[in-house]
């Protein structure tokens, strides 16, 4: 007999279908509630992710086509690492998270061009420092 996983939330604000990218992509449901962020697998009850709001440092969203499409977002934690998710309704999910995480801790990821520019600036700054 399998154990039933106990939710950390006492009140759930949003439940939505989602994919977790922890290793191989796995389908399940996201629950955003008063105590934390949770993801439960549809297939295996032993696969779950529970992140209390106190653990979350930054939520980073990949935004494309000027905000019209959000393919995935990543939750960065203090001790457990990073967790990437794709949600069926990412805007609604991020709005539900924003209730518990300050808006300044929800950021956009850098585009490829911004990353390349940053690397070039670092190289130039290091060369200038050596002279």
């Amino acid at each position: 007999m399998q154990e039933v996983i106990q939710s950390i939330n006492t009140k759930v604000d949003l439940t939505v279908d989602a994919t977790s990218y922890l290793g191989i992509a796995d389908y399940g449901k996201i629950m955003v509630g008063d105590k934390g962020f949770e993801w439960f697998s549809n297939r295996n009850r032993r696969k779950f992710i529970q992140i209390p709001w106190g653990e979350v440092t930054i939520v980073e969203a990949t935004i494309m086509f000027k905000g019209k499409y959000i393919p995935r977002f990543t939750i960065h934690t203090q001790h457990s690492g990073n967790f990437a998710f794709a949600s069926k309704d990412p805007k609604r999910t991020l709005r539900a998270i924003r209730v518990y995480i300050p808006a300044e801790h929800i950021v956009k990821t850098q585009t490829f061009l911004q990353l390349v520019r940053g690397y070039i600036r670092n190289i130039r700054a290091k060369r200038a420092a050596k002279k």
Side-chain angles (χ1 to χ4, degrees):
M1 188 167 136
Q2 287 187 349
E3 292 181 34
V4 177
I5 305 305
Q6 190 67 31
S7 174
I8 60 173
N9 293 313
T10 55
K11 183 185 121 205
V12 176
D13 296 336
L14 175 71
T15 302
V16 65
D17 290 333
T19 304
S20 168
Y21 294 105
L22 188 63
I24 298 173
D26 202 1
Y27 302 104
K29 294 215 181 288
I30 284 176
M31 286 177 27
V32 178
D34 61 340
K35 304 286 185 199
F37 179 94
E38 298 178 294
W39 175 86
F40 296 99
S41 174
N42 285 342
R43 291 174 150 198
N44 187 350
R45 290 189 171 194
R46 287 188 229 148
K47 282 189 175 181
F48 63 95
I49 299 169
Q50 295 177 323
I51 306 169
W53 293 126
E55 273 289 305
V56 177
T57 56
I58 289 178
V59 178
E60 192 174 33
T62 304
I63 297 176
M64 301 175 123
F65 306 116
K66 297 181 182 176
K68 294 187 186 332
Y69 180 59
I70 302 172
R72 66 182 48 120
F73 59 93
T74 305
I75 297 177
H76 298 269
T77 62
Q78 293 174 5
H79 304 290
S80 302
N82 305 330
F83 300 93
F85 300 96
S87 171
K88 194 114 182 167
D89 193 352
K91 287 185 181 180
R92 212 167 100 204
T93 305
L94 290 170
R95 284 184 190 126
I97 291 172
R98 194 173 59 197
V99 171
Y100 302 102
I101 301 296
E104 60 269 7
H105 291 276
I106 300 176
V107 297
K108 290 191 261 185
T109 58
Q110 291 185 334
T111 64
F112 178 73
L113 195 56
Q114 289 170 331
L115 286 172
V116 170
R117 284 181 190 153
Y119 288 133
I120 291 170
R121 284 185 192 135
N122 281 343
I123 290 170
R124 287 181 182 165
K126 287 180 182 176
R127 285 184 185 168
K130 286 182 181 179
K131 290 182 180 182

